[in-house]
Amino acid sequence: QVQLLESGGGSVQAGGSLRLSCAASGYTYSIFYMTYMTWFRQAPGKEREGVAAIFRGGRSTYYADSVEGRFTISQDNAKNTVYLQMNSLKPEDTALYYCAASSKVGTWYQTGLYNYWGQGTQVTVSS
């Protein structure tokens, strides 16, 4: 079984920065071999949405239009950890942020593609 543990959330003022981490563990598991490692977020009353993804160990990265140019996803294969650097944060970025892993091929932002999910870390941005 694979476990994903997010950390790094918190409260910040608009324009500030946060870095989220997602540490992966489990039997013979390496994030390098996953098809997608992805950050999702869910705000109260809204659907869960894809924020950023890494495809197959870093071959490609994908971003939602709303975060393009402000957020950066990266991964450290030696540490089995995925990061989300979030800069120029806005109040509309406030949400519970989840890390997810998929071994399947498909559209990166579709939640049904993902085998494993973390418990989430809260990000709150005040104006």
Side-chain angles (χ1 to χ4, degrees):
Q1 188 70 6
V2 173
Q3 293 84 40
L4 302 174
L5 182 62
E6 304 96 335
S7 62
S11 297
V12 65
Q13 290 191 327
S17 298
L18 285 172
R19 189 178 80 154
L20 306 183
S21 299
C22 170
S25 61
Y27 180 66
T28 64
Y29 170 78
S30 170
I31 60 172
F32 180 80
Y33 297 105
M34 299 305 285
T35 303
Y36 293 107
M37 293 296 302
T38 301
W39 287 96
F40 286 83
R41 67 186 181 186
Q42 188 166 19
K46 295 188 177 181
E47 292 187 354
R48 193 170 297 188
E49 62 172 353
V51 175
I54 283 187
F55 176 70
R56 288 186 174 161
R59 293 184 187 182
S60 302
T61 56
Y62 304 95
Y63 296 93
D65 290 344
S66 58
V67 306
E68 181 83 51
R70 300 188 298 122
F71 290 11
T72 303
I73 190 170
S74 62
Q75 67 182 48
D76 185 330
N77 294 322
K79 295 182 178 180
N80 242 9
T81 300
V82 178
Y83 303 98
L84 185 68
Q85 178 66 44
M86 306 186 296
N87 298 328
S88 302
L89 283 161
K90 305 175 181 180
E92 51 264 42
D93 294 318
T94 295
L96 188 60
Y97 283 70
Y98 296 92
C99 177
S102 175
S103 58
K104 306 171 190 176
V105 176
T107 304
W108 70 270
Y109 50 80
Q110 292 183 335
T111 58
L113 197 67
Y114 290 82
N115 312 69
Y116 307 105
W117 293 86
Q119 293 299 308
T121 185
Q122 179 67 39
V123 172
T124 302
V125 184
S126 58
S127 57

